[in-house]
Amino acid sequence: MIVRWRAVREAARGPVVTQALIAGCAVVFVLGPASGLNPVYGTGEELLANGAAYFRRWGVVPDELFTGTPRAWLTPLTALFVHGSWLHLLGNMLFLHVFGAMAEERMGRPAFLAFYLCTGYLAMATYAAANAGSAQTLVGASGAISAVLGAFLFLLPRARVTSLFPFLFFLPLRFPAWIVLLFWFALQWVAAQRAGSGPGVAYLAHLVGFSLGFLYAWARYRGTTRVRRPATATEGDSQP
């Protein structure tokens, strides 16, 4: 009875880990140079120089990651909380808000936090390994959030989410999660084939994260009961 009461209380408090991750990313961004709100980083050319140094310090630099220094090996973790622009931050946090809450509820808080950090780290490290000679800095929570999407696809495939598709004039349409997520994965795959080696979106990290998330959920929860009814997600997502 005590265990059951604790579960009820935890559910009543909501997706604490998801909310904390969103808040953490937001605070780091506002205090960093990319927000343009912290006068410590200056303005104009000084801001650009300080921003580049900031991203190089806390982001993943592939040609430095495998040098063996402890600081370099920490960057796939710190990079999960650093974003390059307001659009980058808001897009990632929207996806985390939509899909993270239900995944957290299904996995439990400690397991969800460990899952998020580990898969995000591995997605970053895999991208760096595939681009080992690159000096371009990689930042953002996309790899970890992609893992959340992959786990969501296995755990809650019939949950309905509201999506905004640009080619449909941004009309809000509701679809089962499996349709939205497989469509998203296909977009990432096509974009990854067209992406060059220069700066831009790390689509490979998205694909790796999504695959890791799905495989983890399959290995960990395949013997348990999945949510098969058409559950309703809390918010909509905007299709990238």
Side-chain angles (χ1 to χ4, degrees):
M1 188 60 132
I2 294 177
V3 174
R4 190 173 183 181
W5 173 243
R6 286 177 180 171
V8 171
R9 285 193 303 173
E10 287 188 0
R13 287 198 295 266
V16 174
V17 173
T18 298
Q19 293 169 356
L21 289 170
I22 292 174
C25 288
V27 169
V28 169
F29 180 79
V30 168
L31 295 179
S35 70
L37 300 177
N38 191 340
V40 171
Y41 295 100
T43 58
E45 294 296 327
E46 182 184 11
L47 177 61
L48 293 176
N50 287 332
Y54 178 89
F55 292 133
R56 194 167 188 87
R57 178 175 183 180
W58 300 111
V60 178
V61 183
D63 66 359
E64 296 180 2
L65 179 61
F66 300 102
T67 60
T69 64
R71 190 203 67 80
W73 279 103
L74 281 175
T75 55
L77 190 62
T78 59
L80 295 177
F81 296 89
V82 179
H83 291 82
S85 67
W86 283 101
L87 184 61
H88 189 200
L89 173 73
L90 294 175
N92 276 350
M93 294 306 100
L94 176 59
F95 271 79
L96 181 56
H97 171 65
V98 171
F99 295 99
M102 296 180 72
E104 177 184 343
E105 181 182 354
R106 181 67 179 84
M107 293 182 182
R109 289 174 186 152
F112 178 76
L113 178 60
F115 163 82
Y116 181 91
L117 296 177
C118 290
T119 53
Y121 187 103
L122 290 173
M124 290 280 196
T126 302
Y127 176 87
N131 299 271
S134 174
Q136 296 295 334
T137 307
L138 176 64
V139 297
S142 301
I145 295 171
S146 297
V148 173
L149 302 185
F152 195 101
L153 176 60
F154 181 82
L155 296 172
L156 299 145
R158 297 189 182 182
R160 300 185 70 84
V161 292
T162 302
S163 299
L164 304 177
F165 292 91
F167 56 85
L168 294 177
F169 305 102
F170 294 97
L171 292 175
L173 302 173
R174 294 185 65 77
F175 295 99
W178 69 269
I179 294 178
V180 175
L181 294 176
L182 289 179
F183 180 73
W184 178 89
F185 184 83
L187 286 180
Q188 306 306 301
W189 178 268
V190 171
Q193 307 309 306
R194 298 179 178 178
S197 58
V201 180
Y203 294 107
L204 176 61
H206 298 180
L207 296 173
V208 171
F210 189 94
S211 300
L212 288 173
F214 185 86
L215 290 173
Y216 169 81
W218 174 80
R220 172 65 179 82
Y221 298 101
R222 59 179 170 172
T224 61
T225 302
R226 287 193 289 165
V227 177
R228 297 187 178 278
R229 62 183 177 81
T232 303
T234 53
E235 298 288 344
D237 62 278
S238 90
Q239 185 64 37

